[in-house]
Amino acid sequence: MKLTTTTIRVRTKGPGLTNITPEVTRTPTGTADGQLTLFIRHTSASLTIQENADPDVLVDLEAFMKRLVPWDERLYRHTTEGPDDMPAHIRAALTVTSLTIPIIGGRLVLGTWQGVYLWEHRASPQNREVIVQLLST
């Protein structure tokens, strides 16, 4: 077994989902079988595997999250960095910061309609880092 670690750097455009599938799929080059683990190093963003065919899915997910966890400072004690601060932390807590994807025959085993997304929960653009670890045979 071999373990390789790299970092994907992403500049988000503000709240919403950014497709990082192309960056992620470049990682397992030359690997027969293995496992890819992604970990986002932030408390106000998350990762998800979601449909990549219809962009309305991404719009609807963000709209739902805004209704579920509103940016309203009156609802939270922790507002140090503005009205999106605590809601971003709650959104990250409700989603995930780590994903594991199997690799078979040198390819990520994503479904036909699946893509890997970084989900930004802050109101403004951010620089994000995703640690990628490849465990291969």
Side-chain angles (χ1 to χ4, degrees):
M1 296 296 242
K2 180 180 176 186
L3 181 66
T4 307
T5 304
T6 58
T7 302
I8 297 172
R9 288 175 176 76
V10 180
R11 176 76 176 162
T12 68
K13 295 177 182 175
L17 293 105
T18 301
N19 188 346
I20 61 170
T21 308
E23 294 88 343
V24 171
T25 55
R26 280 195 287 273
T27 303
T29 305
T31 300
D33 293 326
Q35 179 174 294
L36 191 73
T37 300
L38 307 170
F39 176 77
I40 190 162
R41 302 183 62 214
H42 306 279
T43 60
S44 56
S46 57
L47 299 170
T48 189
I49 294 176
Q50 198 45 252
E51 179 176 329
N52 66 1
D54 185 349
D56 286 344
V57 170
L58 307 179
V59 173
D60 287 343
L61 283 168
E62 180 60 25
F64 174 79
M65 189 63 83
K66 283 182 179 179
R67 289 190 306 274
L68 184 65
V69 187
W71 291 342
D72 183 347
E73 286 184 285
R74 298 170 297 169
L75 300 174
Y76 313 105
R77 291 177 62 181
H78 178 77
T79 58
T80 307
E81 296 175 43
D84 68 335
D85 192 13
M86 192 60 213
H89 293 301
I90 293 170
R91 292 169 186 200
L94 294 174
T95 52
V96 299
T97 57
S98 180
L99 298 172
T100 303
I101 305 168
I103 299 168
I104 299 174
R107 298 187 57 149
L108 291 174
V109 185
L110 290 171
T112 302
W113 308 112
Q114 289 181 318
V116 180
Y117 292 87
L118 186 155
W119 197 344
E120 180 60 60
H121 302 304
R122 297 301 304 254
S124 60
Q126 303 291 321
N127 292 313
R128 301 300 191 180
E129 290 185 352
V130 178
I131 304 303
V132 181
Q133 282 201 317
L134 172 62
L135 184 61
S136 58
T137 56

